[in-house]
């Protein structure tokens, strides 16, 4: 399958959100980072901004799915709110879920695509008993909480192991990577097994955003 590019609006100008989303309309998904100041140090956005992003996306000639990444504790309490706000893909952190299987089931009950994210230090085998139920596995390639970080090289073997296990089981689960993705390293992520590339500053910091998206997709 072709590489999917999901620009992270964490790097966008929220005062011009409609224009910023219009500028990335050649992307495949819109990535939305939600932080609570507890699971990670920063606080970002809630369902209201997700709803605004949904409206902006729906105004495009070809609306883009919202890929909402919840870097929060007790995510079950808020899943219905984010789904109602317009999230298509909802990704929770394995480290934040006491009953991960129950959370994944709840995501499907809400009609969302279910994603689980792993921090750089978290081994891939925590997914052994839920992988068959997942639509997306998001591998953090930086420590979560801040944009613009350099990628952590030692995550590549984990990406490879996850992709091999997905293929061994014959699943359609997508492997997504988030952190330090740029046009000049996107090929490495793809070769390791990633299907979806989250890019923040590499897209929103570029003068030619459509060109940056194409460069990541075709790297």
């Amino acid at each position: 399958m072709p590489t999917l590019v999901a620009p992270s609006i964490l790097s966008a100008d929220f005062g011009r959100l409609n224009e910023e989303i219009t500028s990335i309309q050649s992307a495949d998904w819109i990535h939305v980072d939600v932080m609570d100041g507890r699971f990670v140090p920063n606080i970002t956005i809630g369902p209201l901004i997700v709803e605004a992003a949904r409206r902006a996306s729906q105004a495009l000639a070809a609306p883009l799915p919202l890929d909402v990444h919840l870097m929060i504790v007790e995510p079950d309490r808020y899943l219905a709110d984010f789904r109602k706000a317009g999230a298509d893909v909802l990704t929770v952190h394995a480290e934040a879920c006491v009953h991960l299987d129950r959370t994944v089931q709840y995501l499907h009950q809400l009609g969302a695509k279910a994603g689980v994210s792993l921090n750089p230090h978290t081994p891939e085998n925590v997914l052994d008993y839920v992988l068959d139920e997942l639509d997306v596995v998001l591998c953090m390639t930086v420590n979560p909480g801040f944009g613009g970080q350099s990628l952590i090289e030692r995550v590549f073997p984990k990406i490879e192991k996850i992709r091999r296990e997905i293929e061994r089981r014959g699943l359609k689960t997508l492997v997504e990577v988030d952190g330090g993705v740029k046009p000049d390293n996107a090929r490495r992520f793809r070769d390791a097994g990633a299907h979806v590339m989250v890019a923040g500053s590499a897209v929103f910091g570029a003068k030619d955003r459509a060109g940056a998206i194409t460069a990541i997709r075709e790297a």
Side-chain angles (χ1 to χ4, degrees), residues 1-202:
M1 65 171 291
T3 297
L4 304 180
V5 182
S8 170
I9 63 169
L10 182 65
S11 298
D13 179 352
F14 279 63
R16 301 170 51 249
L17 189 58
N18 283 2
E19 298 168 56
E20 295 284 77
I21 287 177
T22 298
S23 76
I24 60 165
Q25 61 186 306
S26 63
D28 301 285
W29 294 358
I30 297 170
H31 189 80
V32 185
D33 289 306
V34 177
M35 307 179 191
D36 63 357
R38 296 176 63 197
F39 184 71
V40 292
N42 279 341
I43 298 173
T44 55
I45 64 175
L48 289 177
I49 298 298
V50 172
E51 188 176 350
R54 164 59 65 196
R55 289 196 300 270
S57 174
Q58 289 178 333
L60 301 176
L64 302 177
L66 290 192
D67 174 32
V68 178
H69 176 197
L70 299 178
M71 289 173 270
I72 64 177
V73 299
E74 300 179 358
D76 299 56
R77 296 176 56 189
Y78 307 100
L79 295 178
D81 292 334
F82 281 104
R83 174 62 178 154
K84 183 179 179 181
D88 297 291
V89 181
L90 271 168
T91 297
V92 299
H93 269 263
E95 303 87 356
C97 296
V98 177
H99 303 290
L100 184 57
D101 183 78
R102 180 184 298 166
T103 300
V104 171
Q105 291 182 43
Y106 185 33
L107 287 168
H108 286 303
Q109 289 169 13
L110 291 170
K113 292 188 180 298
V116 171
S117 183
L118 303 179
N119 282 338
H121 74 282
T122 303
E124 70 284 346
N125 60 11
V126 303
L127 300 176
D128 280 354
Y129 297 100
V130 296
L131 186 59
D132 290 6
E133 303 300 321
L134 299 183
D135 299 289
V136 177
V137 174
L138 172 56
C139 291
M140 293 301 300
T141 52
V142 299
N143 287 300
F146 301 93
Q149 299 181 65
S150 298
L151 72 92
I152 298 172
E153 291 283 337
R154 58 185 177 273
V155 301
F156 282 98
K158 181 165 67 174
I159 298 168
E160 292 171 357
K161 289 177 183 177
I162 292 170
R163 176 64 179 266
R164 285 199 300 268
E165 183 62 16
I166 288 169
E167 292 179 346
R168 187 186 72 81
R169 299 190 191 191
L171 305 176
K172 296 182 179 179
T173 309
L174 299 179
V175 178
E176 185 173 11
V177 291
D178 184 357
V181 175
K182 300 175 182 178
D184 60 6
N185 62 24
R187 177 63 181 267
R188 290 186 65 201
F189 286 112
R190 178 69 187 193
D191 288 348
H195 305 97
V196 186
M197 313 280 181
V198 176
S201 56

